[in-house]
Structures are given as C-alpha cells and as structure tokens.
Amino acid sequence: MSAPRTARAIARAELTRAILDLAGHQLAEVGPAALSVRRIARELDMASSAVYRYFPSRDALLTALIVEGYDDLGGRAEAADSAVDDRTDHAARWRAVAH
C-alpha cells in the first residue's frame, strides 16, 4: 500500500503535466529545434528557471516528450493487437497494429 499523495506532490504532478502539454503543442507547432523553455514558462506565467526544477534541461524535456510518444504508440499498438479475436491469425494482428 502506498502512502497518500501530498498536496505538494499533486501540485508538482499537475505542473509537470502542464509543462509537458505546452511543450508538446509547441513541438508540433515549431519543431524540436525551436522548442523554447522560456516560451513555455511565459505561457505558464512562471520564470524559466522554475521550469528547470521540473526538467533539468531542454534536452531532458524533449526526452520526456519522446518517451511519452513511444509509450502512447506502444499502448495503441497493444490495444490494436488485443482487439483481434483470433490470436492465431498473426497476419490480422500485424495488420491491426500497423493500421
């Protein structure tokens, strides 16, 4: 059994999520080369140095976005595979995952 989450931990998780969400939108808009921690901080009405308490570098933020993307892709592939009823029909399972 895990300990109850503190208000501080909940706030940290919510702000981490907000940073990742804004970074993801910005990444889609301008690409990885133009991802700006300052712009993310400005949109969250915080100092850019505060963002670095959540992600130690711009590269760490990009890495977190990449990991989320792969996790999402993996989850979708697993869901597509599990939706195929005939577990022995490997071609159908492959098509479902590829689709």
Side-chain angles (χ1 to χ4, degrees), residues 4 18 20 22 26-27 37 39 41 51 60-61 63-64 66 77 86 90:
L20 285 168
L22 281 171
Q26 191 182 125
L27 184 64
V37 173
R39 179 176 162 196
V51 174
L61 179 55
T63 299
I66 291 167
D86 183 356
H90 301 295

Side-chain angles (χ1 to χ4, degrees), residues 9-10 18 21 28 31-32 39 41 43 59 64 66 70-71 74 79 87:
I10 292 168
D21 288 345
R39 179 176 162 196
E43 289 183 31
D59 286 344
I66 291 167
Y70 276 114
D71 285 347
R87 305 308 296 156

Side-chain angles (χ1 to χ4, degrees), residues 12 16 19 46-56:
R12 182 172 181 83
T16 299
I19 292 167
M46 60 193 292
S48 59
S49 60
V51 174
Y52 289 111
R53 283 184 234 147
Y54 294 84
F55 297 94

